[in-house]
Amino acid sequence: MQLLTTYFPDLSELQLRQYSALDELYHDWNAKINVISRKDIDNLYEHHVLHSLAIAKLLRFTPGSRVLDLGTGGGFPGIPLAIMFPDVHFHLIDSTGKKIRVCDAVVEGTGLTNVSTQHARAEEVRYAEKFDFVVSRAVMPLADLVRIARPHIKREIRNAMPNGVIALKGGELESEAAAVGGTKIITPLTDFFSEEYFMTKKVVWVGVRK
């Protein structure tokens, strides 16, 4: 928790309680349904929560925005972002039902009211439902992610950055990013965080044109 307040010193008392609750909730549920590596669960705040919040360092979502978390797994990056942005709606989808069960339990346990979940593949989400951004955490190659995300993204822009895809990725990204057309911004997470874990991590924004 001290790690979060170091980088986000203006968290409210409610946000602090919600972030604090994640530790017990994820440890409890991970013992039943393995959504985080059991070798990594004790690094929950650095490797999962803070990593997810790199998106909040890149962009402060405008209240009223809608964000789709594609392939959320156990709720990353969607749940940490939903705590950070209580006036933004986050829709979390994953193709594995037991992972959505964990998300539902964590949402209930933290008292979040700005999160919805769906057990589905991205292709099954109704295209009539549009979002300002699609976010994702190391789910698939960037070109595939952009292709799947494009039909879900609104034309109207309400945020400081144009609507598009924001993905948390690791390792060498040049060739992967080169396969994606349009405007891209790749930001090393060392611009935001000093921990060694983030040395090879990046956040990528891709503008998605209709």
Side-chain angles (χ1 to χ4, degrees), residues 111-123:
L112 287 168
T113 58
N114 60 328
V115 176
S116 56
T117 64
Q118 185 178 359
H119 173 208
R121 296 177 60 83
E123 297 88 340

Side-chain angles (χ1 to χ4, degrees), residues 95-130:
S95 61
T96 304
K98 65 182 181 179
K99 293 180 180 179
I100 291 297
R101 283 179 55 204
V102 174
C103 292
D104 288 338
V106 174
V107 167
E108 181 179 0
T110 51
L112 287 168
T113 58
N114 60 328
V115 176
S116 56
T117 64
Q118 185 178 359
H119 173 208
R121 296 177 60 83
E123 297 88 340
E124 297 168 348
V125 177
R126 297 186 308 276
Y127 283 174
E129 187 173 5
K130 301 291 185 178

Side-chain angles (χ1 to χ4, degrees), residues 12-181:
S12 69
E13 289 299 321
L14 174 59
Q15 288 171 317
L16 289 170
R17 289 197 300 272
Q18 289 172 320
Y19 282 126
S20 181
L22 296 180
D23 185 59
E24 182 176 352
L25 286 164
Y26 276 110
H27 272 84
D28 180 51
W29 275 96
N30 210 58
K32 306 170 190 174
I33 298 172
N34 189 22
V35 293
I36 297 172
S37 166
R38 291 197 166 92
K39 295 180 180 179
D40 203 36
I41 187 66
D42 290 333
N43 296 310
L44 174 71
Y45 284 103
E46 180 178 332
H47 293 185
H48 302 278
V49 179
L50 190 61
H51 189 201
S52 297
L53 292 176
I55 292 173
K57 288 291 190 182
L58 180 74
L59 175 65
R60 304 291 298 183
F61 293 115
T62 301
S65 296
R66 292 180 57 81
V67 179
L68 173 64
D69 180 358
L70 193 157
T72 189
F76 303 103
I79 288 176
L81 289 172
I83 296 173
M84 182 64 65
F85 300 107
D87 296 323
V88 174
H89 184 81
F90 291 85
H91 186 59
L92 280 51
I93 69 168
D94 200 275
S95 61
T96 304
K98 65 182 181 179
K99 293 180 180 179
I100 291 297
R101 283 179 55 204
V102 174
C103 292
D104 288 338
V106 174
V107 167
E108 181 179 0
T110 51
L112 287 168
T113 58
N114 60 328
V115 176
S116 56
T117 64
Q118 185 178 359
H119 173 208
R121 296 177 60 83
E123 297 88 340
E124 297 168 348
V125 177
R126 297 186 308 276
Y127 283 174
E129 187 173 5
K130 301 291 185 178
F131 300 87
D132 298 284
F133 289 92
V134 172
V135 299
S136 189
R137 185 171 181 251
V139 168
M140 64 183 72
L142 196 57
D144 294 338
L145 177 61
V146 171
R147 174 181 53 80
I148 292 171
R150 181 175 282 111
H152 299 293
I153 295 176
K154 297 178 182 179
R155 290 178 180 270
E156 303 82 7
I157 297 173
R158 68 167 75 221
N159 286 272
M161 297 178 73
N163 297 358
V165 172
I166 303 177
L168 293 163
K169 305 285 285 184
E172 189 277 322
L173 272 178
E174 281 69 18
S175 58
E176 187 174 338
V180 180

